[in-house]
């Protein structure tokens, strides 16, 4: 691990608080999947990826694609904390006055490598970036985060096949396995398991990991980097809505803004978590 665990935990805790404020203030957005992915994005941006916020278009940078593009209340707070833009910009999330649209957008937001939101397309773009890296003989790595509901979309399996065919060992994807999608359990809407066996059959190196254990995530990303000749998939077991008691494991919190009372309760819980991580 390059960054100490406490620092990472504080970044993720603050990320959840910033995400909550963003969604509450514009009364719209996706907290459930953002909170399940917050620890994964924290480890990527603060421990794993070689990126420079002062040179966001560096051709040699590692790339990141948020294939589950609705989870900007995770991505934008992480980009802001990493230094791509000021935290105050988050106040204009989903506002016509600002640039931070509800789904990830690469034209105006520094640090976003691909516009996403239409599920299934992000991983395909990530495969293209990794293939381009191979063709250009570049050393950069490409990371992508998908949802477990997203993998119900057929296009992702075409992307998975292509990644194996082209031996894209510079690609490491993560499926945020929170068990829920927009309106229920993935197991009920369209069962996807066993994901490990399916991905292995598609030619991928598969690493199961606890998506909230940042040391384990860091080790899994390092293992992925060492794996040659095939792409790697982290199957990250997570809790949708992680960090807010009444949002955890509730499909109803997929894409709903809290009311004033719910906001206060969520805020109290997240402020307490942040204070604990910051040692206050
Ligand atoms: C192609 C496409 N179909 C449908 C949607 C609507 N949609 C947005 S989020 C979502 C559920 C995604 O579930 P999952 O990938 O598990 O995300 P998470 O649980 O991490 O929020 C759906 C169906 C979409 N954005 N794109
Ligand atoms: Mg899900």
């Amino acid at each position: 691990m390059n960054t100490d665990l406490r620092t990472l935990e504080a970044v993720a805790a603050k990320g959840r608080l910033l995400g909550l404020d963003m969604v509450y203030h514009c009364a719209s957005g996706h907290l459930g999947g953002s909170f399940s992915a917050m620890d994964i994005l924290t480890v990527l941006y603060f421990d794993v990826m070689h990126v420079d916020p002062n040179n966001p278009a560096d051709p040699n940078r590692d790339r990141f694609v948020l294939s589950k593009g609705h989870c900007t209340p995770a991505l934008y707070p992480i980009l802001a904390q990493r230094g791509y833009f000021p935290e105050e910009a988050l106040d204009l999330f989903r506002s016509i006055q600002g640039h931070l649209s509800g789904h990830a957008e690469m034209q105006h937001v520094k640090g976003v490598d691909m516009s996403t939101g239409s599920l299934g397309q992000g991983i395909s773009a990530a495969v293209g970036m990794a293939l381009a890296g191979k063709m250009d003989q570049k050393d950069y790595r490409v990371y992508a985060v998908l949802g477990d509901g997203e993998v119900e979309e057929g296009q992702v399996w075409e992307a998975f096949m292509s990644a194996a065919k082209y031996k894209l060992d510079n690609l490491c994807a993560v499926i945020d396995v929170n068990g829920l999608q927009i309106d229920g359990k993935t197991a009920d809407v369209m069962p996807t398991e066993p994901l490990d066996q399916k991905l292995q059959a598609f030619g991928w190196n598969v690493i199961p990991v606890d998506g909230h254990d940042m040391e384990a995530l860091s080790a899994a990303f390092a293992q992925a980097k060492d794996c040659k000749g095939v792409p790697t998939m982290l199957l990250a077991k997570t809790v949708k809505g992680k960090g807010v008691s009444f949002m955890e494991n509730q499909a109803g919190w997929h894409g709903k803004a809290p009311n004033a009372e719910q906001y206060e309760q969520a805020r109290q819980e997240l402020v307490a978590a942040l204070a604990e991580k910051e040692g206050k």
Side-chain angles (χ1 to χ4, degrees):
M1 232 172 153
N2 303 308
T3 314
D4 73 70
L5 182 60
R6 232 179 152 69
T7 303
L8 294 177
E9 286 177 344
V11 168
K14 186 161 181 202
R16 288 190 174 90
L17 195 53
L18 292 170
L20 174 75
D21 281 347
M22 284 162 62
V23 170
Y24 179 65
H25 287 132
C26 70
S28 173
H30 299 80
L31 287 174
S34 294
F35 287 179
S36 63
M38 192 68 78
D39 298 326
I40 299 164
L41 267 63
T42 300
V43 172
L44 279 171
Y45 274 95
F46 283 81
D47 188 62
V48 172
M49 289 199 302
H50 294 107
V51 289
D52 177 3
N54 296 315
N55 189 8
D58 179 357
N60 295 318
R61 74 193 184 284
D62 287 344
R63 269 65 165 175
F64 176 72
V65 178
L66 182 66
S67 199
K68 51 173 209 153
H70 55 287
C71 292
T72 46
L75 180 62
Y76 294 161
I78 294 298
L79 290 177
Q81 290 188 85
R82 191 68 176 77
Y84 284 92
F85 48 82
E87 279 173 25
E88 297 75 65
L90 300 172
D91 295 346
L92 293 178
F93 178 55
R94 285 181 178 255
S95 157
I96 197 78
Q97 267 89 41
H99 289 310
L100 299 182
S101 54
H103 293 73
E105 201 272 326
M106 67 189 285
Q107 298 297 333
H108 300 102
V109 186
K110 275 193 192 160
V112 175
D113 289 322
M114 181 50 59
S115 299
T116 48
S118 187
L119 296 170
Q121 296 184 356
I123 183 62
S124 302
V127 167
M129 290 173 183
L131 183 55
K134 290 281 180 195
M135 293 171 84
D136 293 343
Q137 299 183 324
K138 296 270 189 194
D139 287 334
Y140 68 75
R141 291 183 59 73
V142 181
Y143 295 91
V145 172
L146 300 93
D148 55 352
E150 180 178 10
V151 301
E152 294 168 357
E153 182 73 47
Q155 179 175 353
V156 304
W157 298 94
E158 298 179 47
F160 294 163
M161 275 193 286
S162 309
K165 171 182 160 69
Y166 292 107
K167 301 183 173 34
L168 301 181
D169 53 13
N170 54 348
L171 174 67
C172 178
V174 183
I175 301 178
D176 177 348
V177 186
N178 57 30
L180 296 170
Q181 62 122 299
I182 196 166
D183 51 5
K185 293 180 183 168
T186 51
D188 293 334
V189 178
M190 182 55 73
T192 54
E193 296 292 349
L195 281 172
D196 53 351
Q197 291 174 33
K198 286 178 186 172
L199 280 152
Q200 276 157 5
F202 270 63
W204 283 58
N205 171 41
V206 179
I207 306 176
V209 63
D210 177 343
H212 300 303
D213 179 338
M214 293 201 264
E215 277 177 326
L217 281 166
S218 176
F221 283 120
Q223 221 179 307
K225 198 171 178 179
D226 287 341
C227 178
K228 300 298 171 201
V230 293
T232 291
M233 180 68 77
L234 269 52
L235 292 179
K237 183 83 193 73
T238 61
V239 173
K240 197 154 177 166
K242 174 78 176 175
V244 175
S245 58
F246 61 90
M247 293 186 187
E248 290 192 356
N249 285 317
Q250 300 299 319
W253 284 103
H254 170 79
K256 184 174 70 171
N259 64 28
E261 198 183 320
Q262 291 161 335
Y263 170 71
E264 278 314 321
Q265 191 189 332
R267 197 159 209 291
Q268 274 178 24
E269 292 184 20
L270 294 177
V271 165
L274 177 59
E276 191 215 311
K277 298 302 175 198
E278 287 181 334
K280 287 179 188 158

